[in-house]
Amino acid sequence: MQSSIKKIGLIVILILVLPLSTFFIYQFASLNEYEKEINKIYLQQLETIIYSVNQYSEDVVSSWVNDVVLQLKQEKSKSHQNPIISQYQNVVSSIFLADKNISDINIYYNESQESLVSNELIRNELEIRKPLIDKLQKFLESGYQRIEPIGKITSGNKYLCLFPLNKNEVNWDLGGIIFDPARYIQQSLASKISQAAGNEFILTVSSNENNLIFSTDVTDSTEIVINKPLWLIPGYTLGIKLKSGSIQELVSQRFYTNLIVLALLLFVLIVGLILIYYNLRKEIRLAQLKSDFIANVSHELRTPLTMISMYSETLALNRLKSEEKKREYYSVIHNETNRLSKIVNSILNFSKMEQQTRKFNYENCSLIEINDDVFKTYEYHIKSKGFSYSLNQNEKVKDIIADIDTVSESIINLIDNAIKYCNEKKEFAININENEIGPFWEIKDFGIGISASDQKKIFDKFYRVSSGLVNTKKGTGLGLSLVKQIMKEHSGNVIVESKIGEGSTFRLQFNNNFNGKV
Ligand code: ADP
């Protein structure tokens, strides 16, 4: 039986647990992948927003350049009161034009601002960038007027952008816009940045030294998820984060929620499997016990039947001459018939109990009287087996409400077992008394005893201890299960105390509160 249970355990593990665990591990891994994918998409979205702000900032300067070109074409450039500069009064501090060789430079100053650039300074800046100027010219020849951010050019924190011009159209090869970055951000970019941020994001602009120049909302710059350069102002960065926590926080929160749900599912599944395994194990054990029972009962029936048939045949053939011998044979037949009817009765009673059709006639009775009646009819049998017993009874023990027949049956079962599972010492002791729960009937034997683990099982139907001496004793494994059922019907209990090799004590414990109505 043990091996078939192990086999079932192994099958359950192989068929269910292994594939399911693999499935959950796979789910767990793909969950991780899935969350990573979401994170990637979110980050891409953030980058797109930053990109759109950068694009817009380039468009702003592009429109300035277009205005310059337009005005040059209209030959308004001669005037120092350049309308472009007045138009972007606070942002652009000067615009200059130069030829390819940087021999001729024309600067237009914003009069509202202190002029900080000199011809000399611009010439120096351009001299070192001749290759770049050539490159810009080449771009223009291929139809692309590229605006090149140069970066900081003066100590007054002004930034420069260069752009190529078509000499044939406007008489100049190169233009430059010098502007104030902080004002550019506040006046030209702020509204676009706020629009791009919407209600969901916080957008920031920080300078080289990680100084927060602008932010659409109050935020800690360390929480910014993505920082990207602001193309037009080298050294400045555009930052973005979600208003409600970081994306990583949201994603990991989701990840852990999913993980917990998965773990819970796995737990429920494993508990379910364990329950199935234990139920199966119980069923197999019961099936095994039933088949043992059939084998036991067949054996139990066959022995008395053989004896009866043998002895009655000898009598019928009149082979026995002495009257004494005949009497002995009759007595054997009588005893074996009794044994047979006892087995059949116990099976019938058990079956009635199982189907709950057994009738219980409850009445007020005395345990002492029930015990006396049992011993009156049973004393001969006990003595004939060579047993002696002691009786200790409290004469004042309370009456019980009980069904006399089934209580007697329980007592007989327990006496039978004390005789059956004896050792050399053919003795037992009966004790009738009461405790705080109610009256009790107790039998103490000095037999083979029952191990602690078997004590838990002996009241199960069909269970028989299968080791040691017990193997040789006949039985059906129904007796104690019947006693237990009977005591349950009386709202009482049957209790065992035993030690291997020392003997056992069985107690039928009745309940003061029982009134016969179940
Ligand atoms: P049966 O005696 O027909 O096998 P029971 O239900 O009466 O069935 O008992 C179940 C098992 O409990 C027995 O097989 C035996 O192993 C054990 N048992 C019962 N009574 C005693 C006892 N007094 N001493 C030792 N073992 C006992």
Side-chain angles (χ1 to χ4, degrees):
M1 179 171 67
Q2 211 59 28
S3 75
S4 59
I5 290 171
K6 270 187 194 150
K7 233 186 262 168
I8 287 183
L10 215 72
I11 289 170
V12 168
I13 290 175
L14 282 177
I15 293 184
L16 293 168
V17 179
L18 277 184
L20 282 173
S21 315
T22 321
F23 170 73
F24 277 107
I25 291 167
Y26 170 74
Q27 282 295 309
F28 175 79
S30 51
L31 196 69
N32 210 357
E33 282 305 306
Y34 175 60
E35 302 302 349
K36 269 190 204 157
E37 204 52 43
I38 291 178
N39 199 13
K40 213 166 97 186
I41 293 167
Y42 266 116
L43 291 177
Q44 274 168 3
Q45 193 191 350
L46 297 189
E47 283 187 21
T48 311
I49 293 170
I50 290 186
Y51 184 88
S52 79
V53 173
N54 258 326
Q55 195 68 54
Y56 177 81
S57 108
E58 228 178 49
D59 289 349
V60 170
V61 178
S62 231
S63 75
W64 293 350
V65 171
N66 286 342
D67 279 350
V68 171
V69 173
L70 203 71
Q71 286 186 51
L72 287 173
K73 279 183 183 166
Q74 289 166 359
E75 291 185 327
K76 282 182 186 165
S77 55
K78 300 277 186 291
S79 157
H80 274 239
Q81 305 260 290
N82 195 300
I84 296 177
I85 292 186
S86 49
Q87 193 179 334
Y88 304 108
Q89 238 179 45
N90 295 316
V91 182
V92 177
S93 66
S94 44
I95 290 178
F96 66 82
L97 302 166
D99 66 355
K100 206 188 264 172
N101 303 323
I102 319 167
S103 49
D104 198 3
I105 295 173
N106 199 359
I107 307 175
Y108 303 95
Y109 295 113
N110 183 344
E111 287 175 352
S112 69
Q113 286 189 23
E114 218 180 306
S115 67
L116 290 160
V117 287
S118 63
N119 260 22
E120 205 49 40
L121 186 131
I122 289 171
R123 180 160 290 115
N124 288 344
E125 288 288 342
L126 295 182
E127 282 293 349
I128 52 168
R129 291 191 172 81
K130 271 204 164 150
L132 174 72
I133 294 165
D134 286 346
K135 212 167 91 188
L136 288 179
Q137 270 301 326
K138 283 210 177 88
F139 276 129
L140 189 71
E141 277 161 26
S142 56
Y144 169 42
Q145 187 164 48
R146 174 163 167 163
I147 297 163
E148 187 70 30
I150 300 298
K152 199 167 170 177
I153 55 158
T154 65
S155 55
N157 198 28
K158 298 284 187 238
Y159 278 65
L160 166 65
C161 281
L162 288 179
F163 51 92
L165 289 170
N166 189 334
K167 180 115 182 170
N168 298 336
E169 282 177 14
V170 295
N171 270 331
W172 297 101
D173 290 311
L174 188 70
I177 294 177
I178 296 167
F179 64 98
D180 181 314
R183 286 183 186 162
Y184 169 68
I185 290 159
Q186 292 293 347
Q187 292 177 26
S188 308
L189 282 192
S191 65
K192 172 65 188 177
I193 294 177
S194 302
Q195 187 200 338
N199 292 329
E200 283 176 62
F201 303 101
I202 296 176
L203 271 165
T204 60
V205 182
S206 311
S207 73
N208 303 19
E209 299 81 22
N210 227 358
N211 284 340
L212 198 64
I213 306 279
F214 174 82
S215 174
T216 54
D217 211 327
V218 193
T219 184
D220 180 350
S221 56
T222 55
E223 289 173 356
I224 296 297
V225 180
I226 295 183
N227 263 311
K228 291 273 171 189
L230 180 55
W231 302 339
L232 267 172
I233 317 176
Y236 278 53
T237 52
L238 276 167
I240 191 165
K241 66 168 266 202
L242 259 182
K243 245 183 192 171
S244 50
S246 75
I247 292 147
Q248 274 86 354
E249 267 166 31
L250 281 185
V251 169
S252 73
Q253 203 178 339
R254 255 188 60 127
F255 175 77
Y256 284 113
T257 320
N258 286 345
L259 201 66
I260 289 167
V261 171
L262 259 179
L264 273 177
L265 271 176
L266 192 63
F267 174 75
V268 169
L269 214 94
I270 287 174
V271 169
L273 284 176
I274 291 172
L275 283 179
I276 290 175
Y277 173 71
Y278 277 105
N279 268 326
L280 263 175
R281 203 170 76 155
K282 215 169 123 188
E283 287 302 317
I284 290 177
R285 199 171 271 161
L286 197 66
Q288 183 67 39
L289 287 175
K290 273 182 187 165
S291 90
D292 287 354
F293 165 77
I294 291 167
N296 280 335
V297 168
S298 317
H299 182 77
E300 285 280 274
L301 294 177
R302 209 176 42 218
T303 320
L305 278 175
T306 319
M307 301 269 274
I308 293 167
S309 127
M310 219 167 70
Y311 280 60
S312 54
E313 194 187 339
T314 314
L315 284 169
L317 293 173
N318 212 8
R319 286 208 187 117
L320 299 175
K321 299 289 169 248
S322 102
E323 278 306 307
E324 198 186 334
K325 212 59 186 157
K326 277 184 190 166
R327 262 201 308 280
E328 191 191 319
Y329 271 47
Y330 281 127
S331 135
V332 169
I333 292 172
H334 177 72
N335 284 341
E336 290 305 312
T337 320
N338 273 347
R339 206 169 123 190
L340 258 183
S341 68
K342 226 169 162 181
I343 297 168
V344 174
N345 276 341
S346 87
I347 295 170
L348 281 178
N349 287 341
F350 174 79
S351 134
K352 274 190 204 158
M353 246 358 187
E354 281 286 282
Q355 289 164 13
Q356 296 182 330
T357 52
R358 191 157 188 192
K359 291 259 175 314
F360 286 83
N361 299 313
Y362 294 111
E363 56 186 292
N364 200 41
C365 51
S366 143
L367 255 181
I368 292 179
E369 277 172 23
I370 296 176
N371 182 67
D372 282 349
D373 287 346
V374 167
F375 273 88
K376 247 179 235 157
T377 48
Y378 227 57
E379 185 128 30
Y380 174 75
H381 171 74
I382 296 166
K383 294 263 161 72
S384 71
K385 294 264 176 190
F387 273 79
S388 64
Y389 68 92
S390 65
L391 176 62
N392 175 22
Q393 57 190 26
N394 175 358
E395 300 296 337
K396 290 188 194 131
V397 74
K398 266 191 264 112
D399 279 358
I400 52 169
I401 307 258
D403 171 58
I404 297 174
D405 285 350
T406 54
V407 172
S408 307
E409 190 182 318
S410 300
I411 291 176
I412 292 168
N413 265 325
L414 294 179
I415 297 172
D416 266 350
N417 281 350
I419 294 171
K420 203 160 40 167
Y421 303 108
C422 69
N423 252 338
E424 297 86 45
K425 199 172 173 185
K426 296 194 164 188
E427 252 179 66
F428 60 84
I430 306 288
N431 180 20
I432 303 170
N433 214 328
E434 63 190 1
N435 55 21
E436 62 287 354
I437 305 168
F440 62 83
W441 180 95
E442 198 175 73
I443 181 165
K444 177 178 171 60
D445 66 44
F446 306 93
I448 58 175
I450 307 159
S451 72
S453 64
D454 278 328
Q455 285 175 33
K456 287 181 207 136
K457 300 175 193 161
I458 50 173
F459 298 101
D460 293 347
K461 49 192 174 192
F462 311 122
Y463 188 82
R464 306 198 72 223
V465 179
S466 55
S467 59
L469 251 180
V470 201
N471 255 334
T472 57
K473 313 278 174 179
K474 291 166 194 152
T476 56
L478 292 182
L480 288 182
S481 130
L482 259 173
V483 173
K484 188 183 167 188
Q485 297 255 27
I486 289 168
M487 289 315 290
K488 203 171 144 204
E489 292 288 336
H490 285 82
S491 295
N493 208 354
V494 50
I495 304 151
V496 63
E497 262 177 37
S498 185
K499 253 192 178 163
I500 287 278
E502 288 180 21
S504 317
T505 303
F506 283 88
R507 175 183 288 187
L508 301 177
Q509 176 71 59
F510 293 86
N511 193 327
N512 281 331
N513 299 328
F514 183 64
N515 57 10
K517 290 181 196 127
V518 194

